[in-house]
């Protein structure tokens, strides 16, 4: 009877704790929804989704504003958007697995694998660039999409199917931004060359590798390659006037993207949800399927020019905040801005997506929005000992 009483008492305490925890999460959800609504209404951007995965695994998924301003469709928490450069992280996970398998080394010169290509010497810093330099943007190779006639061709033939070599050929014969390894300059071109190299070495498609090593193991069911023109649950994105891309206004019309997103490829190349991105933020930081030295290499950031005390590792942005450093990545694609981050000091994973890229409406960075919402969570944790 004594042991039965003890068991019942412990069960009572456990149930009581779960109930209290649930009540705390409900209150936190309400606080976060209020904050998200306030931000959307104050700045009048179309819509936003946000997900927080708490240290104990509980999930809070929220939305505010509109997914389609014309049809007045409310934004839903499971809405999806083009996630821009966050897609680099899926490819990085695959590349790091291949490094561990001995397919190539991070400090191998890319000439070892691409030197026989007839065009290779036309790449800036070609013979000095390593795989690591492509991954952390220290190659000195500039961004391709604002060079030459790329935008003109995209505007005149929006559904054109681009080949990777066509894209990074825009940097051929140009002067490097700096000597290889002597500076930092963010460029999708680095990842297009990296993708070309990996496919040549392995004989596998980069999207297949990303599915094998990132999407499938972590059950990212709302995430898929942006290789078509229509997607289920895709929020309408609104591209700002003056964007480098010549498609101002809604980039989804009659449920179809107004141009082919396929050109982004390994520079990004995915549609996702804030829930999947929050899950991935923690998974990418921990990446338990690779060794600790490889994880450390990924987090070993160098100074980046994206903000004060910002650093960049191997496909990983490292940014300071009052809640400690956030490890993750931001993403921009015409009509959309996304951000995901994991805060190891809090054990908290968060992600946010906006269906506009109009920074005049947002008024601050997507990371700044994340930090504001993280502060709400941090304050609640202090007050409730959550």
């Amino acid at each position: 009877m004594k042991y039965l009483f003890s068991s019942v008492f412990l069960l009572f305490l456990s149930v009581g704790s779960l109930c209290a925890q649930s009540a705390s999460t409900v209150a936190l959800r309400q606080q976060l929804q209020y904050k998200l609504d306030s931000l959307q209404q104050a700045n009048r951007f179309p819509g936003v989704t946000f997900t927080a995965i708490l240290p104990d695994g509980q999930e809070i998924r929220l939305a505010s504003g509109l997914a389609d301003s014309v049809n007045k469709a409310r934004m839903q928490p499971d809405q999806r958007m083009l996630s821009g450069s966050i897609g680099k992280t899926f490819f990085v996970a695959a590349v790091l697995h291949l490094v561990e398998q001995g397919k190539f080394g991070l400090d191998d010169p890319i000439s070892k694998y691409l030197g026989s290509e007839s065009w290779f010497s036309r790449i800036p810093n070609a013979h000095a660039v390593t795989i690591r330099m492509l991954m952390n943007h220290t190659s000195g190779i500039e961004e391709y999409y604002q060079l030459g006639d790329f935008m003109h061709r995209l505007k005149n033939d929006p559904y054109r199917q681009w080949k990777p070599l066509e894209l990074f050929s825009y940097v051929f014969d140009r002067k490097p931004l700096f000597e290889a390894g002597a500076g930092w300059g963010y460029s999708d071109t680095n990842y297009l060359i990296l993708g070309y190299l990996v496919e040549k070495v392995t004989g596998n498609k980069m999207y297949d590798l990303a599915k094998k090593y990132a999407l499938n193991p972590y059950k990212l069911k709302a995430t898929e390659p942006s290789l078509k023109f229509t997607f289920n649950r895709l929020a309408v994105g609104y591209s700002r006037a003056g964007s480098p891309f010549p498609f101002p206004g809604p980039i989804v019309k009659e449920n179809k993207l107004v141009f082919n997103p396929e050109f982004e490829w390994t520079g990004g190349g995915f549609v996702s949800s804030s829930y999947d991105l929050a899950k991935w933020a923690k998974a990418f930081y921990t990446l338990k399927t690779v060794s600790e030295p490889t994880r450390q290499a990924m987090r070993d950031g160098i100074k980046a020019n994206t903000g004060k005390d910002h650093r960049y590792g191997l496909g990983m942005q490292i940014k300071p905040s009052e809640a400690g450093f956030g490890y993750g990545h931001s993403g921009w694609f015409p009509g959309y801005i996304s951000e995901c981050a994991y805060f190891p000091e809090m054990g908290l994973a968060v992600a946010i997506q906006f269906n506009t890229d109009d920074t005049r409406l947002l008024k601050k960075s997507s990371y700044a929005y994340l930090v504001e919402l993280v502060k709400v969570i941090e304050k609640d944790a202090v007050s409730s000992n959550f």
Side-chain angles (χ1 to χ4, degrees), residues 95-277:
V95 171
L96 293 178
H97 277 84
L98 296 172
V99 167
E100 294 223 324
Q101 293 170 13
K103 299 293 185 182
F104 38 73
L106 288 174
D107 295 310
D108 286 352
I110 63 172
S111 59
K112 181 177 178 180
Y113 307 100
L114 300 178
S116 62
E117 301 282 352
S118 61
W119 45 261
F120 177 72
S121 293
R122 301 178 66 187
I123 296 175
N125 289 334
H127 295 280
V129 173
T130 65
I131 290 174
R132 187 190 300 270
M133 291 176 190
L134 294 178
M135 295 176 73
N136 67 11
H137 299 290
T138 58
S139 69
I141 301 171
E142 66 186 311
E143 190 62 88
Y144 76 91
Y145 59 71
Q146 295 192 61
L147 301 177
D149 64 352
F150 174 75
M151 289 299 177
H152 177 75
R153 293 170 72 186
L154 183 64
K155 182 178 181 179
N156 289 337
D157 188 6
Y159 294 107
R160 175 189 177 91
Q161 288 187 302
W162 295 85
K163 295 180 180 179
L165 180 56
E166 285 184 281
L167 297 169
F168 62 75
S169 69
Y170 279 98
V171 305
F172 285 176
D173 305 320
R174 293 182 63 83
K175 292 182 179 180
L177 299 174
F178 43 79
E179 291 184 10
W184 190 85
Y186 191 88
S187 167
D188 283 4
T189 317
N190 289 312
Y191 276 72
L192 298 181
I193 296 171
L194 177 67
Y196 188 98
L197 183 155
V198 172
E199 288 198 347
K200 180 177 180 179
V201 171
T202 66
N204 296 311
K205 297 294 185 183
M206 286 300 293
Y207 278 117
D208 292 338
L209 293 170
K211 288 178 183 178
K212 180 177 180 180
Y213 293 112
L215 273 57
N216 291 345
Y218 297 100
K219 297 179 174 59
L220 304 180
K221 297 179 180 179
T223 305
E224 66 175 300
S226 50
L227 296 175
K228 54 187 182 180
F229 312 139
T230 60
F231 296 91
N232 294 331
R233 306 193 314 279
L234 181 68
V236 175
Y238 296 90
S239 185
R240 70 183 186 274
S243 167
F245 286 82
F247 303 100
I251 69 159
V252 179
K253 294 181 179 180
E254 297 180 355
N255 297 316
K256 179 182 178 182
L257 288 166
V258 298
F259 62 92
N260 184 0
E262 186 178 357
F263 69 85
E264 193 182 24
W265 196 44
T266 48
F270 288 90
V271 166
S272 193
S273 67
S274 65
Y275 173 60
D276 268 16
L277 295 181

Side-chain angles (χ1 to χ4, degrees), residues 314-347:
L314 301 181
M316 176 176 280
Q317 292 179 318
I318 305 160
K319 303 176 183 179
S321 78
E322 295 175 14
F325 281 94
Y327 295 78
H329 215 287
S330 60
W332 166 72
F333 191 85
Y336 303 95
I337 291 179
S338 303
E339 183 99 30
C340 65
Y342 179 65
F343 293 84
E345 293 180 23
M346 298 179 66

Side-chain angles (χ1 to χ4, degrees), residues 53 55 278 280-286 324-329 340-350 367 370:
I53 301 179
W280 176 242
K282 181 176 181 179
F284 187 49
Y285 177 83
T286 56
F325 281 94
Y327 295 78
H329 215 287
C340 65
Y342 179 65
F343 293 84
E345 293 180 23
M346 298 179 66
L348 174 69
V350 288
Y367 187 68
L370 268 192

